[in-house]
């Protein structure tokens, strides 16, 4: 069984900036536990020397030439931001005062 | 921030062996970013060199910049590394708004270059071989500005503003193996190593290599262990050491700080520390463990990089002369004495002098200006020489003005100060301020006669061969000319007058 607790779910939700109700926490705790267990099962299946697959098709060396392409305008870039100021994305304080 | 207690440096070295490790980030000077076609440019309007890829919008797909890969291979080869026949990118997951994707595209278990070494000369002339563990490709993060609080620092900030112009700019991170055996010279070795890396990437033409602009950045790991102990001590990683002088100071500070703790029975916390240039001290950042969980996994959106033998060899064929050979060649070309040359190297002024000589100055004149007055002014202003706004062309012009006798050394220094203040080129400043020395013998003779009239005994003294008496008259003439005269010429004219 996974070690998923309601507190951990609340922590994840706060990291992901999603507001959750107590009822949702209970439901998500249950559902996430199932997912984590499923991944654990896969982990067991590939224990040993199975190399990680990064790409299903054996390809290499797909490059882009070093040529400038148009960027977004500042307005476009910021259009999806929750908040912005002085042409920049505005984000909540990163660390609390220590 | 409470200042930590420090052990006397010599005492610390008597008790402990110093082990350092350096991580240097080199920003490549490609036209575009690592994984998208946005311009790689410093100082544009915020968030104007961004696109769905570098601000991590859903559905966008990265593509690797070919030139960035070639530049990375060139750096690896210049550091004597093997180039991986196959390498891939990995996601380094972390939650911090300097990258919008919540991960940094980096390399993890398959770096492009590994197992190299670099010979580094420290100021005493000793040469240390620094082992290179790896050099890998990754992307830079955006720039955060912390607003609110009273210091502009991260602690106490109310919110932060993010500019993603730098997010996705190609970086090569070069990681050394633990460096042992430098002893008291560990701080100098750390700085000399970073200087060598700068020289190399500049010579390769793959980076602008300007530390004050963050093109080359260094994190310095320091640990101590009692002499004779096999196991490495707990290390700290000091970040934000972005000048050669800071690197030296920060490493020295950490040695003294850790030694005090260990000698008093304490333990070192494995953590990142921040260097504060103003306080000359480091402060604790976040705790860090070797097992920091970044949940690295292979980047599914990028395929492996497999440089062909032909590509690697064609890049190897274009590598410039290595820094050690270049130093030998330049010393011979300039005919500098060993000590003169070592001063130049230690001051990191090879490039400047080479460019100044190329711009027409005599090597000795170029050396004197850079290691003399310019270094002095940098020191007074507490800046790196590179950060001063004086170009090699300016210095060459200045040297030529002095050489041709248009101005004297003293005026030269005044002109230099004006160049640094942004008043224009040396010639323009001399013209604008009317600083050219008075070469009109008539005017000089008139001033000499006036001075002699005020000090009538002098002429007799000179006639009797007591030349020291001439000083007072020369001084008076220089004063009358507001310093804008060639003292040697005044002396000649004075002697001529006396013999009439």
């Amino acid at each position: 069984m996974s070690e998923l607790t309601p507190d951990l779910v609340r922590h994840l939700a706060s990291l992901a900036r999603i507001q959750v109700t107590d009822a949702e926490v209970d439901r998500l705790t249950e559902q996430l536990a199932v997912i984590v267990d499923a991944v654990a099962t896969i982990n067991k299946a590939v224990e040993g020397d199975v190399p990680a697959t990064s790409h299903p098709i054996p390809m290499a060396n797909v490059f882009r030439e070093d040529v400038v392409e148009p960027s977004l305008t500042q307005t476009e870039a910021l259009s999806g931001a929750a908040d912005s100021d002085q042409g920049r994305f505005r984000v909540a304080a990163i660390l609390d005062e220590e | 921030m409470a200042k930590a207690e420090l052990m006397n440096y010599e005492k610390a070295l008597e008790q402990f062996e110093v082990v350092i490790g350096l991580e240097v980030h080199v920003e490549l000077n490609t036209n575009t970013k690592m994984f998208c076609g946005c311009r790689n440019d410093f100082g544009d309007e915020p968030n104007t060199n961004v696109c769905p890829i570098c601000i991590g919008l859903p559905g966008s797909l990265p593509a690797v910049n070919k030139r960035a890969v070639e530049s990375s291979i060139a750096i690896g080869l210049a550091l004597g590394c093997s180039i991986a026949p196959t390498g891939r990118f990995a996601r380094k997951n972390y939650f911090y708004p300097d990258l919008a994707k919540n991960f940094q595209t980096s390399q993890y278990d398959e770096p492009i270059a590994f197992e190299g070494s670099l010979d580094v000369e420290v100021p005493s002339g000793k040469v240390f071989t620094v082992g290179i563990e790896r050099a890998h490709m990754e992307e830079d993060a955006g720039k955060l500005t912390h607003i609110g609080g009273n210091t502009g620092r991260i602690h106490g900030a109310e919110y932060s503003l993010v500019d993603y112009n730098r997010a996705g700019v190609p970086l090569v991170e070069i990681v050394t193996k633990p460096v042992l055996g430098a002893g008291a010279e560990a701080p100098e070795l750390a700085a000399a190593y970073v200087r060598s890396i700068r020289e190399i990437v500049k010579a390769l033409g793959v980076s602008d290599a300007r530390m004050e602009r963050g093109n080359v950045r260094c994190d310095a790991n320091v640990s101590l262990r009692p002499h004779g102990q096999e196991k490495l001590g707990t290390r700290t990683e000091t970040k934000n050491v972005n000048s050669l002088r800071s690197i030296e100071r920060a490493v020295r500070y950490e040695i003294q700080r850790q030694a005090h703790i260990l000698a008093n029975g304490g333990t070192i916390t494995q953590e990142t520390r921040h260097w504060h240039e103003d306080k000359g001290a480091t402060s604790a950042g976040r705790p860090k463990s070797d097992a920091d969980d970044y949940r690295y996994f292979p980047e599914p959106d990028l395929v492996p990089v497999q440089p062909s033998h032909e590509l690697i060899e064609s890049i190897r064929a274009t590598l410039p002369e290595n820094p050690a050979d270049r130093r030998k060649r330049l010393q011979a070309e300039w005919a500098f004495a060993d000590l003169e040359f070592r001063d130049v190297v230690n001051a990191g002024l090879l490039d400047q002098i080479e460019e100044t000589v190329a711009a027409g100055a005599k090597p000795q004149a170029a050396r004197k200006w850079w290691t003399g007055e310019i270094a002095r002014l940098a020191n007074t202003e507490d800046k790196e020489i590179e950060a001063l706004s004086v170009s090699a062309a300016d210095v060459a012009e200045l040297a030529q003005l002095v050489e041709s006798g248009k101005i004297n050394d003293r005026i030269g220094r005044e002109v230099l100060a004006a160049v640094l203040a942004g008043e224009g080129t040396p010639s323009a400043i001399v013209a604008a301020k009317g600083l050219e020395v008075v070469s009109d013998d008539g005017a000089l003779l008139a001033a000499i006669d006036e001075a002699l009239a005020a000090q009538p005994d002098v002429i007799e003294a000179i006639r009797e061969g007591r030349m020291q008496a001439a000083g007072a008259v020369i001084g008076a003439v220089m004063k009358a000319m507001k310093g804008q005269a060639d003292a040697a010429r005044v002396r000649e004219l004075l002697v001529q007058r006396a013999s009439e």
Side-chain angles (χ1 to χ4, degrees):
Chain A
M1 272 305 284
S2 75
E3 289 162 10
L4 230 85
T5 61
D7 277 348
L8 189 56
V9 171
R10 276 189 202 96
H11 180 60
L12 287 172
S14 105
L15 286 178
R17 314 233 165 157
I18 300 170
Q19 287 183 336
V20 283
T21 63
D22 284 350
E24 284 169 325
V25 169
D26 289 342
R27 186 160 52 85
L28 287 169
T29 307
E30 228 168 86
Q31 291 183 348
L32 283 171
V34 173
I35 294 169
V36 171
D37 286 345
V39 173
T41 308
I42 295 170
N43 263 340
K44 264 189 214 132
V46 296
E47 260 170 27
D49 285 340
V50 182
T53 303
S54 58
H55 207 269
I57 307 161
M59 290 175 77
N61 297 335
V62 178
F63 296 124
R64 177 178 58 77
E65 292 300 323
D66 186 24
V67 176
V68 176
E69 288 157 34
S71 295
L72 298 174
T73 64
Q74 191 185 70
T75 315
E76 286 169 338
L78 296 171
S79 61
D83 198 0
S84 67
D85 189 11
Q86 300 167 45
R88 282 163 251 227
F89 293 83
R90 180 174 161 155
V91 297
I94 294 159
L95 291 180
D96 291 332
E97 187 122 28
E98 284 184 356
Chain B
M1 185 181 82
K3 197 151 182 174
E5 285 193 67
L6 304 180
M7 183 186 276
N8 169 283
Y9 190 63
E10 283 71 30
K11 250 172 95 182
L13 290 160
E14 272 169 34
Q15 294 190 36
F16 299 102
E17 183 185 5
V18 180
V19 181
I20 56 172
L22 299 159
E23 291 165 28
V24 176
H25 286 88
V26 176
E27 230 174 45
L28 301 179
N29 59 0
T30 48
N31 296 320
T32 64
K33 293 187 178 181
M34 188 76 212
F35 303 111
C36 63
C38 289
R39 266 155 43 86
N40 169 9
D41 228 327
F42 183 84
D44 283 347
E45 278 293 300
N47 295 306
T48 52
N49 296 334
V50 298
C51 73
I53 295 168
C54 55
I55 53 174
L57 298 187
S60 59
L61 282 173
V64 177
N65 183 335
K66 189 175 174 189
R67 197 175 137 221
V69 172
E70 291 166 355
S71 298
S72 306
I73 293 173
I75 290 174
L77 291 174
L79 296 173
C81 290
S82 304
I83 303 303
T86 183
R88 62 182 169 190
F89 290 95
R91 291 189 181 183
K92 179 183 183 179
N93 297 279
Y94 70 91
F95 294 94
Y96 196 66
D98 61 356
L99 276 174
K101 303 184 293 185
N102 279 346
F103 62 85
Q104 178 190 35
T105 309
S106 181
Q107 293 193 294
Y108 182 51
D109 51 353
E110 296 182 8
I112 191 155
F114 58 96
E115 289 289 328
S117 74
L118 182 62
D119 286 344
V120 177
E121 189 178 333
V122 295
S124 69
K126 250 189 259 171
V127 175
F128 292 94
T129 300
V130 176
I132 307 291
E133 169 130 354
R134 58 188 279 157
H136 68 255
M137 299 183 278
E138 61 184 30
E139 60 182 334
D140 210 342
K143 187 172 164 44
L144 293 174
T145 310
H146 305 295
I147 309 286
N150 48 10
T151 55
R153 307 190 82 93
I154 190 165
H155 295 293
E158 285 156 30
Y159 59 93
S160 302
L161 298 177
V162 198
D163 170 12
Y164 288 114
N165 281 349
R166 201 178 58 192
V169 163
L171 290 181
V172 173
E173 178 176 344
I174 304 161
V175 183
T176 68
K177 296 184 175 176
V179 183
L180 298 90
E185 292 177 296
E188 286 92 342
L189 176 57
Y193 168 79
V194 177
R195 177 184 297 139
S196 299
I197 296 285
R198 267 188 56 202
E199 281 177 12
I200 287 171
V201 297
K202 203 167 169 201
L204 290 170
V206 298
S207 172
D208 295 341
R210 295 182 61 168
M211 291 194 82
E212 78 280 8
R213 290 195 173 180
N215 299 145
V216 174
R217 311 196 283 265
C218 175
D219 300 337
N221 291 280
V222 176
S223 71
L224 301 183
R225 61 180 177 186
H227 289 290
Q229 177 183 304
E230 183 112 3
K231 194 170 172 287
L232 292 175
T234 303
R235 69 191 165 85
T236 61
E237 179 182 351
T238 303
K239 301 214 172 246
N240 193 27
V241 270
N242 294 329
S243 74
L244 295 173
R245 200 163 39 142
S246 310
I247 292 165
E248 199 174 316
R249 291 175 70 201
V251 170
R252 196 181 165 96
Y253 179 89
E254 272 301 290
I255 292 171
Q256 292 180 266
R257 188 188 68 85
Q258 293 184 17
H260 177 85
I261 294 172
L262 292 171
N264 288 283
T267 50
I268 303 300
T269 311
Q270 184 163 340
E271 64 190 357
T272 59
R273 297 187 66 85
H274 300 284
W275 171 248
H276 305 277
E277 184 66 45
D278 49 344
K279 300 191 182 81
T282 63
S283 69
R286 81 191 162 83
K288 196 180 163 117
S289 74
D290 287 324
D292 260 350
D293 191 2
Y294 289 115
R295 294 180 295 123
Y296 278 101
F297 61 83
E299 166 57 81
D301 288 342
L302 294 168
V303 298
V305 174
Q306 295 176 346
S308 66
H309 179 74
E310 292 72 34
L311 175 68
I312 294 169
E313 290 315 309
S314 74
I315 294 172
R316 196 193 301 279
T318 61
L319 292 182
E321 141 188 67
N322 83 47
D325 291 345
R326 173 174 173 242
R327 284 197 289 270
K328 266 186 214 130
R329 175 178 60 80
L330 289 176
Q331 185 178 359
E333 280 176 18
W334 296 341
F336 284 2
D338 284 351
L339 257 180
E340 288 173 343
F341 194 74
R342 190 176 295 167
D343 282 348
V344 168
V345 171
N346 291 338
L349 291 169
L350 276 181
D351 290 346
Q352 285 87 340
I353 293 177
E354 189 178 25
E355 285 166 30
T356 307
V357 171
K362 291 191 172 165
Q364 282 295 358
R367 184 185 66 78
K368 278 181 196 148
W369 280 109
W370 284 105
T371 61
E373 186 64 7
I374 297 173
R376 192 187 67 77
L377 288 169
N379 198 32
T380 312
E381 292 184 30
D382 203 22
K383 277 185 181 166
E384 296 277 317
I385 286 179
E386 292 86 349
L388 296 179
S389 52
V390 57
S391 69
D394 290 333
V395 179
E397 202 178 307
L398 191 58
Q400 278 163 335
L401 286 168
V402 175
E403 173 82 19
S404 66
K406 287 212 172 78
I407 57 174
N408 58 29
D409 270 335
R410 195 189 65 76
I411 301 285
R413 289 194 291 275
E414 194 181 323
V415 172
L416 177 66
V419 170
L420 292 183
E423 293 175 29
T425 65
S427 301
I429 290 162
V430 167
K433 295 191 164 181
L435 293 174
E436 201 164 319
V437 295
V438 178
S439 51
D440 170 4
D441 284 354
L444 293 178
L445 280 169
I448 287 170
D449 289 340
E450 198 171 313
L452 285 175
Q455 305 175 70
D457 302 346
V458 172
I459 197 122
E460 205 48 49
I462 294 173
R463 283 183 183 136
E464 287 166 15
R466 285 186 284 125
M467 278 310 290
Q468 62 271 33
V473 169
I474 295 171
V477 173
M478 292 302 284
K479 197 173 169 198
M481 293 291 145
K482 299 193 175 66
Q484 289 168 236
D486 177 357
R489 182 64 189 149
V490 174
R491 190 185 173 89
E492 274 171 32
L493 291 172
L494 179 58
V495 171
Q496 205 178 309
R497 208 27 137 219
S499 62
E500 278 166 7

